[in-house]
Amino acid sequence: MLPCRHVTGRLRRQLIRPHRPLSSCPTDQVVDDVMVELDGGGKMTLNGTGLEMSEPSPLVKFWVQSFDGIHPLLDVGCAYGRNVQTAHNLLKEKIDSNKTIILACDCNEGHLAAVNGLCLPGVETLFARLPDNFPPQSLGNKINNDGASGILMSEVLHFISGEAIEQTLVAARDVLVSDGVLAITACSPFMNFAPNESGVCHINSIIQPLYESNIDRRWPVGDGINLQTLLSGRHLDGRGDNAIKRMPTFFHPFSARDLRRAVEETGLRVISAEERWHPGYPPQYQNAGRENTQLLAVKI
């Protein structure tokens, strides 16, 4: 599918204007307390930032393998706990009910309550908001000020500005112990969003040209996209307006190139950085296997 490049500057400015500050996670936007499940298996989140994926992060096993038996794992942006549950199952032989193995962090209390409701031994929850409340003030007490062996940031960094991403990455570096692993997945500028019956994606036809025309900028889509505006009146996986009002009003997709640069600037060693398919995305989001930015890095 070739994106439409005939978008006037005036229309583009109107469509991409964000409706929230560029540097913070929307902690106070709670649409309602009902988990809306989509046809593809994902669940709309409670704070108006899209959905939890239908499958665990493709990097979850690398994150779990970084557990050193001493320092806990952090899941930043845990939503309802899909990645936490997966990690817990993989680590079940190492679970000690008297010791915290996984810390699930999120900027929505409803999500934290959902994770607590799973009653998983060795799992604790912490309120965290990127970037200003990360790491959480109480984190030091949970990890004895020693650090974490692995941090997963799955589908969360594309909700904050480039400057906030950079601040978050520095904080993540400081929390990691030596040889600790940082695993990140996020939306790339090449994803299809809710294409119409002919397969044309209205959002991709704006985001991808915007990214390509600003490729020399530090963060090419750094001004953000208002997905609610772009999706207004459109079909979204059979849920209509109820799903659209749960979409983010500030959305910042970025490429593997952009993320690699920002991570390397923190001093972390990047092991891999690429755009690939995320198995938890709805099938219609596919676009040549470049839909999801995925990065693994280690602290040396």
Side-chain angles (χ1 to χ4, degrees):
M1 186 271 292
L2 295 176
C4 172
R5 299 178 184 275
H6 302 291
V7 181
T8 67
R10 180 179 180 183
L11 175 60
R12 179 175 294 171
R13 287 192 296 272
Q14 178 182 0
L15 291 175
I16 68 173
R17 185 179 298 122
H19 283 189
R20 70 169 78 259
L22 305 188
S23 62
S24 63
C25 174
T27 61
D28 56 349
Q29 184 183 359
V30 179
V31 180
D32 54 49
D33 60 357
V34 179
M35 291 188 292
V36 177
E37 188 161 347
L38 300 181
D39 295 340
K43 292 186 178 73
M44 302 302 292
T45 54
L46 300 177
N47 59 345
T49 56
L51 66 156
E52 180 185 67
M53 302 300 101
S54 63
E55 297 289 338
S57 167
L59 302 183
V60 70
K61 290 186 177 180
F62 296 100
W63 173 55
V64 171
Q65 289 169 1
S66 71
F67 179 59
D68 59 9
I70 301 172
H71 305 95
L73 299 171
L74 266 63
D75 182 1
V76 180
C78 63
Y80 303 115
R82 189 178 298 278
N83 290 317
V84 170
Q85 283 185 292
T86 301
H88 191 269
N89 291 336
L90 292 171
L91 291 170
K92 58 186 177 182
E93 296 182 357
K94 300 181 180 180
I95 296 297
D96 181 347
S97 59
N98 297 316
K99 183 177 180 180
T100 301
I101 302 297
I102 303 169
L103 284 167
C105 305
D106 203 277
C107 66
N108 183 273
E109 296 287 358
H111 295 159
L112 298 179
V115 175
N116 287 329
L118 299 174
C119 299
L120 300 173
V123 174
E124 292 193 45
T125 58
L126 283 174
F127 181 90
R129 181 180 64 247
L130 301 180
D132 299 327
N133 189 27
F134 180 77
Q137 293 181 353
S138 57
L139 179 63
N141 297 329
K142 301 289 185 182
I143 62 177
N144 297 319
N145 296 310
D146 288 335
S149 57
I151 299 175
L152 176 67
M153 295 181 176
S154 176
E155 309 305 299
V156 63
L157 290 185
H158 50 237
F159 297 128
I160 58 178
S161 69
E163 181 180 356
I165 291 172
E166 292 167 4
Q167 182 179 338
T168 298
L169 293 175
V170 170
R173 177 204 63 195
D174 293 344
V175 169
L176 285 171
V177 299
S178 181
D179 295 324
V181 169
L182 176 63
I184 298 172
T185 65
C187 292
S188 85
F190 312 109
M191 180 195 291
N192 277 337
F193 298 81
N196 60 26
E197 293 179 356
S198 63
V200 176
C201 175
H202 175 65
I203 297 178
N204 178 266
S205 69
I206 292 176
I207 292 181
Q208 188 168 338
L210 182 65
Y211 175 83
E212 293 170 349
S213 64
N214 290 286
I215 193 70
D216 293 331
R217 291 180 56 186
R218 187 170 179 85
W219 296 98
V221 195
D223 292 335
I225 303 291
N226 186 336
L227 287 188
Q228 288 191 19
T229 299
L230 289 181
L231 288 168
S232 179
R234 295 179 180 272
H235 173 86
L236 184 62
D237 202 16
R239 295 299 188 270
D241 290 341
N242 192 34
I244 290 173
K245 71 180 182 180
R246 291 170 177 261
M247 300 304 288
T249 55
F250 180 85
F251 178 66
H252 172 208
F254 48 85
S255 70
R257 183 204 68 158
D258 306 326
L259 185 59
R260 172 188 282 274
R261 170 196 49 75
V263 171
E264 288 181 338
E265 287 177 353
T266 70
L268 295 175
R269 176 183 293 171
V270 174
I271 305 302
S272 64
E274 54 191 341
E275 290 113 21
R276 301 189 65 180
W277 173 243
H278 190 307
Y281 281 176
Q284 64 269 28
Y285 284 19
Q286 294 187 39
N287 184 18
R290 299 187 65 191
E291 304 80 7
N292 189 242
T293 294
Q294 303 176 12
L295 179 141
L296 285 170
V298 62
K299 184 174 180 176
I300 55 175

